[in-house]
Amino acid sequence: MKQSLSNFGLSETHKLQAIIHNTCQRCGAIIQQDWIDDYFRLYCKDCEAFGRIVEGDVLFRYHRPLIKKNHLLKLEFELSNEQIKASQYLLNSVISQHIGYLYAVCGAGKTEILYETIFHFLQKNQVICFSIPRTDVVIELSKRLTKIFPNTVIKPLYNKEKDDSLADIVVSTVHQLIQYYEEFDLLILDEADAFPYKSNDLLTRLVKRALKPDGAFIMMSATYENHELKAIDKKNLPIYQLPARYHQHQLDTFTIIYVDEVMKMNQSITIHNDILQWIISKLNASIQLMLFVPTIAIGTLLEQSLKRHGLNCLNVSSVDHHRAMKINQFRANKTPILITTTLLERGITIKGVHIGIIDASHVVFNRHTLIQIAGRVGRHKASPSGEIVLFTRRMNIEIKAAKKYIQLMNKEAYNRGLINNDL
Ligand SMILES: [Zn+2]
């Protein structure tokens, strides 16, 4: 069901108090005693960003109309043997246990692995949600699924796009799940290790509440924490590990270059010479570069510095309204360098790209972020590897952990015969 604070004039609307027994009926939060407004009424602080819910408010829930149709699965290319195995495993898991976990490295082809499961639910005229923390990925994935399921109504949902009418598949940010209560028969949570989902109680609740009580849940991630894996193991829940990419080449690991400081703050700010020389060497070899920076401010300084050296580059961040256009320009190889914050740590595939991480020991580059950034290289079969250079003042525990992860995944992939040495 959908839920909102206003009545849409639908006849079959179910009305309920928004706060019952100190519990918010929209997000499930337990209302604390000090969550009191100027009129001494209790309100829900947890979901306030979606419009404040106050004691005495009424919440409306109603069924979304859907039209039965003949769905079609149109694969663009065949899955690898390992992808087929993973696909069968997850399908069987959700049918028999209503739950499944996929633990797959970046570039394993996670989305493709789910097509059969999605199709299975569609054929039963059931409703599906594909939920991802990031808006940019929501839009991309929605377009991609539309090609694979041409007869299916698929709608993206994010802060500026709220139309889900007649959608059999909703591709949604996790935040937008606030609109649903026990709506979906299948809910797939992708990139469960990404900000802002990770360790966010509100978002965790929204995912659970959006799923029907007998619905099936799939969680996908490239990196699970040890305690998460232990919990899955302890409960004997089905998890499929895919340590190799679909093209059977190993994951590239980091090259570390120590620099005392990334920028020299003279009269005109200049980039460290070692970084500059590495960038120039890549450009001379006609290689496109993504340069990850820890902050928007450093991105701006880097852009100015590179331009002073006569280098053509684009700079994107979450506050940049032209980012989609710039990314498309980079994708079309019209510019050789794209400077970005961790905004683009996932969901972007550029053939043949190499990566530089500037100030890699900065606190924003945790192990999950570093693993995702490293996962941007070598995603194409025709260009299966690339350089990932960390420019850093020092080694830290996050860099070590990310490096170890890549080594372990490669080892596991070798042991299972998923890396082809003849390639
Ligand atoms: Zn709430």
Side-chain angles (χ1 to χ4, degrees):
M1 285 191 281
K2 281 206 78 172
Q3 59 177 8
S4 74
L5 280 173
S6 52
N7 190 349
F8 284 81
L10 293 167
S11 53
E12 288 181 42
T13 305
H14 171 58
K15 267 167 70 171
L16 71 159
Q17 286 293 312
I19 295 176
I20 302 173
H21 301 313
N22 284 358
T23 306
C24 172
Q25 298 304 305
R26 182 168 63 172
C27 77
I30 306 293
I31 312 286
Q32 305 297 306
Q33 285 183 348
D34 59 345
W35 295 359
I36 292 173
D37 73 0
D38 294 344
Y39 302 96
F40 303 102
R41 296 172 304 183
L42 289 174
Y43 73 94
C44 180
K45 212 172 189 173
D46 263 19
C47 63
E48 210 185 353
F50 304 93
R52 185 182 274 194
I53 274 191
V54 181
E55 203 179 3
D57 276 351
V58 174
L59 198 62
F60 298 92
R61 287 185 183 151
Y62 54 96
H63 287 284
R64 236 166 22 102
L66 288 175
I67 298 168
K68 284 187 181 178
K69 52 188 84 71
N70 288 324
H71 296 278
L72 202 69
L73 168 59
K74 212 173 130 194
L75 280 179
E76 284 173 325
F77 49 84
E78 284 188 18
L79 301 189
S80 69
N81 287 340
E82 194 56 25
Q83 281 178 309
I84 293 170
K85 269 192 208 167
S87 163
Q88 281 305 319
Y89 181 89
L90 280 179
L91 179 57
N92 293 337
S93 303
V94 293
I95 290 172
S96 60
Q97 287 175 267
H98 294 230
I99 196 159
Y101 293 86
L102 182 60
Y103 180 16
V105 294
C106 305
K110 286 199 301 275
T111 310
E112 292 91 325
I113 288 167
L114 292 170
Y115 292 161
E116 280 296 339
T117 301
I118 293 173
F119 193 48
H120 172 84
F121 281 80
L122 286 175
Q123 283 176 311
K124 294 201 291 178
N125 285 299
Q126 292 186 314
V127 197
I128 296 154
C129 175
F130 212 123
S131 188
I132 312 148
R134 298 194 179 210
T135 300
D136 295 34
V137 187
V138 162
I139 300 166
E140 282 295 314
L141 180 63
S142 177
K143 285 182 197 161
R144 192 167 153 198
L145 291 177
T146 304
K147 283 186 195 160
I148 304 293
F149 300 101
N151 287 357
T152 307
V153 180
I154 300 170
K155 300 239 168 127
L157 220 64
Y158 49 96
N159 58 348
K160 287 183 194 156
E161 183 57 81
K162 303 271 199 292
D163 171 30
D164 63 354
S165 51
L166 301 179
D168 308 292
I169 303 178
V170 170
V171 184
S172 173
T173 58
V174 187
H175 282 100
Q176 293 306 319
L177 297 181
I178 189 97
Q179 299 183 53
Y180 301 101
Y181 179 72
E182 299 185 353
E183 166 80 3
F184 301 105
D185 299 284
L186 170 66
L187 196 149
I188 300 157
L189 175 66
D190 195 4
E191 307 195 336
D193 56 334
F195 176 84
Y197 178 77
K198 200 168 173 60
S199 311
N200 183 318
D201 288 343
L202 168 68
L203 298 182
T204 309
R205 283 203 307 275
L206 295 188
V207 169
K208 281 189 188 139
R209 292 169 67 84
L211 187 63
K212 281 183 182 163
D214 60 347
F217 178 61
I218 293 179
M219 195 195 243
M220 307 198 287
S221 181
T223 54
Y224 285 95
E225 301 282 4
N226 276 339
H227 70 87
E228 290 172 317
L229 291 173
K230 275 183 191 154
I232 293 168
D233 192 44
K234 206 174 166 188
K235 291 181 193 160
N236 216 1
L237 297 173
I239 180 164
Y240 197 91
Q241 192 190 5
L242 193 43
R245 292 178 151 177
Y246 72 95
H247 56 47
Q248 295 181 286
H249 288 263
Q250 65 170 10
L251 295 171
D252 290 298
T253 191
F254 308 124
T255 304
I256 295 168
I257 296 181
Y258 290 97
V259 288
D260 46 0
E261 51 187 344
V262 291
M263 299 272 187
K264 286 210 188 314
M265 302 290 182
N266 302 331
Q267 277 170 329
S268 62
I269 297 140
T270 41
I271 183 174
H272 193 287
N273 195 44
D274 288 357
I275 305 177
L276 181 66
Q277 291 312 316
W278 178 77
I279 292 172
I280 291 171
S281 73
K282 293 291 148 191
L283 299 189
N284 287 341
S286 302
I287 290 166
Q288 272 193 298
L289 283 181
M290 282 176 84
L291 300 176
F292 284 84
V293 288
T295 64
I296 294 172
I298 294 179
T300 308
L301 293 176
L302 180 61
E303 181 186 9
Q304 289 166 354
S305 176
L306 291 180
K307 283 185 174 163
R308 268 199 306 277
H309 285 99
L311 301 177
N312 181 8
C313 61
L314 290 170
N315 181 19
V316 292
S317 72
S318 56
V319 296
D320 185 347
H321 298 299
H322 302 293
R323 65 178 190 260
M325 185 198 74
K326 291 180 182 173
I327 294 165
N328 282 340
Q329 238 176 299
F330 185 67
R331 203 169 257 154
N333 206 354
K334 287 182 182 158
T335 186
I337 302 170
L338 184 67
I339 300 165
T340 176
T341 56
T342 57
L343 170 80
L344 295 183
E345 73 178 40
R346 31 184 105 219
I348 185 165
T349 296
I350 308 283
K351 192 178 172 185
V353 76
H354 287 200
I355 303 283
I357 304 178
I358 312 297
D359 202 4
S361 60
H362 191 284
V363 67
V364 307
F365 295 120
N366 63 34
R367 62 195 71 186
H368 305 285
T369 298
L370 292 170
I371 289 164
Q372 287 295 335
I373 292 174
R376 298 308 101 207
V377 305
R379 296 174 76 89
H380 270 268
K381 211 172 190 169
S383 187
S385 72
E387 228 177 285
I388 312 144
V389 180
L390 271 61
F391 295 97
T392 181
R393 273 175 269 226
R394 58 181 173 270
M395 173 57 78
N396 67 12
I397 195 164
E398 299 301 318
I399 299 173
K400 276 185 192 163
K403 220 177 155 181
K404 195 175 167 195
Y405 165 93
I406 293 172
Q407 286 165 348
L408 281 175
M409 287 293 175
N410 281 337
K411 197 175 164 197
E412 171 79 14
Y414 269 113
N415 290 344
R416 278 171 52 185
L418 303 177
I419 303 282
N420 188 344
N421 290 316
D422 299 333
L423 289 172

